[in-house]
Amino acid sequence: MSSMKVRFAPSPTGPFHIGGARSALFNWLLARKEGGSFILRIEDTDLARSTRESEENIKASLQWLGMNWDEGIDVGGDNGPYRQTERLSIYKEVTDRLLAEDKAYECFCTNDELEAVREEQKNRGETPKYNGRCSHLTEAEKEKFRAEGRTPTIRLRVPLNKTYAFDDMVRGHVSFESNGVGDFVIVKSDGIPVYNFAVVVDDHTMDITHVIRAEEHLSNTPRQMAIYEALGWDTPVFGHISLILGKDYKKMSKRHGATSVEQYKDLGYLPEALVNFLALLGWAPEGEEEFFTQDELIKAFSMDRVAKNPAVFDIDKLNHINFHYMKALSDEELLQLCLPHLQEVGLAKETLNEDDKARLTLLCTTFRDHLSFGAQIKDHVRFLLEDTVTLEKEAAEELKQVLQEETVAIVLDTFKTKLTELDELTPDTVKATIKAVMKETELKGKSVFMPIRVALTGQMHGPDLNNIVTLLGVQAAVSRLDNYTDLLK
Ligand code: GLU
């Protein structure tokens, strides 16, 4: 193993967002490519919003996507624990050191006092920052505050007139002036460290060499650099990856459709397709190829081909990629992908016998070429769910014309009679029956297929007619053939 160590450090505050999955993936790909290690750390210091349920969702989603971690939550390692709320004693030790070295200090200001100062600064047209009121308190002053019942926060002393500069793997040279930062809180009055502090302590004590994370953390980086500096620690290499935007160039949100990994899983997307798609959200491969297996991604991935500009989430592209991976599914796998959706509309029971399986497999394979993801099967099964046929609205006139041909009555009647005489209904026997209808009526192709299809489905086009008839079954087919004139009303 190389000494490269990267980490994914999600806050477990909700379902695992695809943006988080993309950050995890870039870290994971880099670690796998460089022979380094990938750590999973849970940043749960936001006590009000963090839940175990969300943590489980993140872990299950990472596993589903095939991103295993070498060190971290559940699997352990030399630098644990890997959940921040279990590391409070570690942060306390570092805080004590900063206090002892006078690099941090206790601040007794209340929220109302801080708010009042911020208001004054704003009124003067200044950018609000801490005014340093508690930066040089005497022991007696501190005692007085304590006696008033105030519990202090801990603030870092941020030096003035400093430039925090670094070379970001994605954004190039970045610099911030320390004067805008002000002494900021690193530990809240309840003893819980803030994100910027805990992340530095963890990244350092876990020997993280490269920090790849979302662009929204770029402005946190100077604060983190101030903490590294106060502690005399080296900073890791940073890489801030761009936002994911919807097609309207607005930040990806629920408005744009599914946003969590679990939602895509539930919709019947394949993990290898989602990984392939996420990799292309911000990373550009060298050639024209758009399909990459996980191994191919590991080989091809490099941070220097990660773009600075925002990535646009294009659902059509995801569908295109998923369609590609679905082609490799066996009939059985295709059924498993569609099954929950067939159950949802009542076409499949909880447990399937062999006959159910055969019928549902036929159903799924019939529409295979029309499916970009599993849930789309629901768009195609209406003909099985409704007792009567309705003509497809946009083509109603054309469809009526088909049924008004003078040979229609004889075609449908002959077909119906032959159907009821069949011993077994399969696509092959249906095919033979249609052939027999042609022979008997002395009509060819279209004049036979078309009226049968329209009478049974209300549509001009669709997948294999032999399969459609088989899926409908004799009874439903006969009833539709009997009632086709209703469609002309
Ligand atoms: N817990 C932070 C988040 O979920 C991690 C940021 C980082 O990687 O430093 O956004």
Side-chain angles (χ1 to χ4, degrees):
M1 251 189 203
S2 81
S3 57
M4 173 181 276
K5 258 193 176 190
V6 296
R7 82 316 190 260
F8 178 54
S11 303
T13 53
F16 189 33
H17 194 273
I18 38 145
R22 199 259 318 240
S23 297
L25 180 63
F26 283 13
N27 278 288
W28 185 85
L29 286 173
L30 189 65
R32 293 294 168 262
K33 184 182 173 100
E34 302 296 334
S37 54
F38 174 66
I39 294 185
L40 177 61
R41 176 173 79 224
I42 299 294
E43 301 205 330
D44 59 347
T45 53
D46 184 341
L47 303 182
R49 292 174 60 229
S50 298
T51 64
R52 277 301 165 98
E53 188 195 350
S54 162
E55 182 183 316
E56 292 305 320
N57 182 275
I58 293 167
K59 288 189 298 191
S61 299
L62 285 172
Q63 276 156 350
W64 180 69
L65 291 170
M67 285 186 245
N68 55 330
W69 52 99
D70 311 298
E71 192 181 319
I73 208 83
D74 291 351
V75 305
D78 294 339
N79 305 292
Y82 293 93
R83 198 178 280 119
Q84 286 187 328
T85 48
E86 292 166 14
R87 298 174 60 78
L88 298 182
S89 60
I90 300 173
Y91 308 127
K92 171 90 174 56
E93 223 173 276
V94 180
T95 310
D96 287 347
R97 188 187 132 194
L98 287 172
L99 287 171
E101 293 174 4
D102 197 33
K103 290 183 173 144
Y105 59 87
E106 290 176 312
C107 169
F108 293 86
C109 297
T110 63
N111 281 339
D112 288 346
E113 288 164 351
L114 293 170
E115 191 46 47
V117 172
R118 261 196 296 270
E119 272 308 303
E120 275 170 34
Q121 290 172 330
K122 271 199 240 158
N123 291 343
R124 287 199 299 267
E126 295 167 12
T127 315
K129 69 173 192 183
Y130 184 59
N131 63 359
R133 176 179 174 233
C134 294
S135 60
H136 294 95
L137 295 178
T138 62
E139 281 310 314
E141 285 167 323
K142 288 187 207 171
E143 268 322 303
K144 192 171 154 269
F145 280 138
R146 265 188 248 281
E148 284 173 22
R150 299 185 187 219
T151 39
T153 59
I154 312 286
R155 283 183 189 271
L156 187 80
R157 282 190 204 285
V158 177
L160 286 174
N161 306 319
K162 261 210 79 127
T163 304
Y164 290 111
F166 59 101
D167 290 313
D168 189 280
M169 280 185 280
V170 180
R171 326 206 82 79
H173 192 74
V174 184
S175 71
F176 293 90
E177 298 308 318
S178 73
N179 288 0
V181 177
D183 296 350
F184 60 90
V185 173
I186 55 172
V187 181
K188 291 183 285 181
S189 58
D190 58 5
I192 304 291
V194 303
Y195 154 72
N196 278 320
F197 182 52
V199 80
V200 167
V201 174
D202 289 351
D203 284 342
H204 175 77
T205 54
M206 293 179 187
D207 300 321
I208 300 301
T209 58
H210 295 73
V211 166
I212 297 159
R213 61 185 171 199
E215 185 185 4
E216 62 195 355
H217 289 294
L218 187 63
S219 59
N220 284 318
T221 308
R223 287 166 192 252
Q224 293 174 20
M225 291 179 84
I227 299 171
Y228 278 106
E229 188 182 58
L231 288 162
W233 294 341
D234 288 339
T235 51
V237 178
F238 294 105
H240 289 90
I241 51 182
S242 58
L243 286 175
I244 300 179
L245 303 181
K247 262 186 159 172
D248 54 0
Y249 291 92
K250 302 229 166 76
K251 197 177 166 187
M252 185 78 183
S253 73
K254 292 202 176 94
R255 259 182 327 111
H256 296 97
T259 51
S260 75
V261 171
E262 192 180 31
Q263 280 173 307
Y264 284 97
K265 177 174 184 263
D266 290 348
L267 283 167
Y269 286 88
L270 297 169
E272 52 273 43
L274 199 54
V275 162
N276 191 149
F277 172 72
L278 289 174
L280 299 176
L281 273 182
W283 168 72
E286 257 172 62
E288 293 295 306
E289 186 55 50
E290 55 181 347
F291 299 116
F292 291 85
T293 62
Q294 227 174 43
D295 282 346
E296 288 165 348
L297 280 176
I298 292 170
K299 267 201 205 105
F301 186 77
S302 74
M303 282 302 291
D304 51 351
R305 295 192 67 86
V306 171
K308 239 195 252 185
N309 15 352
V312 174
F313 189 100
D314 179 354
I315 189 72
D316 296 330
K317 176 142 192 183
L318 173 59
N319 287 342
H320 167 71
I321 293 177
N322 205 61
F323 182 82
H324 169 83
Y325 284 91
M326 277 179 69
K327 281 195 281 195
L329 296 183
S330 67
D331 291 353
E332 167 67 24
E333 288 166 333
L334 181 68
L335 172 61
Q336 289 311 321
L337 197 70
C338 297
L339 194 56
H341 309 287
L342 294 172
Q343 285 165 337
E344 190 188 315
V345 294
L347 282 176
K349 295 184 286 244
E350 275 303 309
T351 45
L352 307 179
N353 62 29
E354 286 309 307
D355 282 351
D356 298 331
K357 254 195 192 160
R359 196 174 113 73
L360 295 171
T361 304
L362 178 65
L363 176 60
C364 297
T365 51
T366 299
F367 292 99
R368 187 191 263 274
D369 293 344
H370 301 257
L371 300 179
S372 293
F373 55 95
Q376 268 185 344
I377 191 74
K378 291 190 293 189
D379 300 343
H380 299 285
V381 295
R382 221 188 53 203
F383 77 106
L384 289 176
L385 293 171
E386 288 166 7
D387 286 338
T388 52
V389 179
T390 35
L391 293 180
E392 194 180 358
K393 264 208 195 94
E394 304 78 58
E397 284 316 307
E398 228 182 312
L399 290 161
K400 280 184 186 171
Q401 267 174 27
V402 171
L403 293 178
Q404 276 160 344
E405 290 293 323
E406 57 181 319
T407 51
V408 167
I410 181 77
V411 166
L412 297 186
D413 199 52
T414 315
F415 182 56
K416 187 183 79 180
T417 311
K418 290 191 181 303
L419 265 190
T420 50
E421 287 165 1
L422 283 178
D423 291 332
E424 201 194 1
L425 188 73
T426 68
D428 283 340
T429 60
V430 174
K431 189 173 176 186
T433 307
I434 293 178
K435 254 200 180 146
V437 174
M438 289 185 192
K439 205 166 165 206
E440 199 168 309
T441 57
E442 294 182 345
L443 291 165
K444 284 210 184 107
K446 237 179 144 182
S447 328
V448 174
F449 291 127
M450 273 301 191
I452 296 179
R453 185 185 288 282
V454 174
L456 294 181
T457 66
Q459 288 177 340
M460 198 74 86
H461 307 285
D464 192 295
L465 185 58
N466 307 322
N467 291 11
I468 295 289
V469 177
T470 311
L471 289 163
L472 268 174
V474 174
Q475 213 188 346
V478 166
S479 140
R480 289 171 190 210
L481 295 166
D482 274 341
N483 295 317
Y484 86 91
T485 49
D486 291 352
L487 298 175
L488 295 170
K489 284 175 191 161

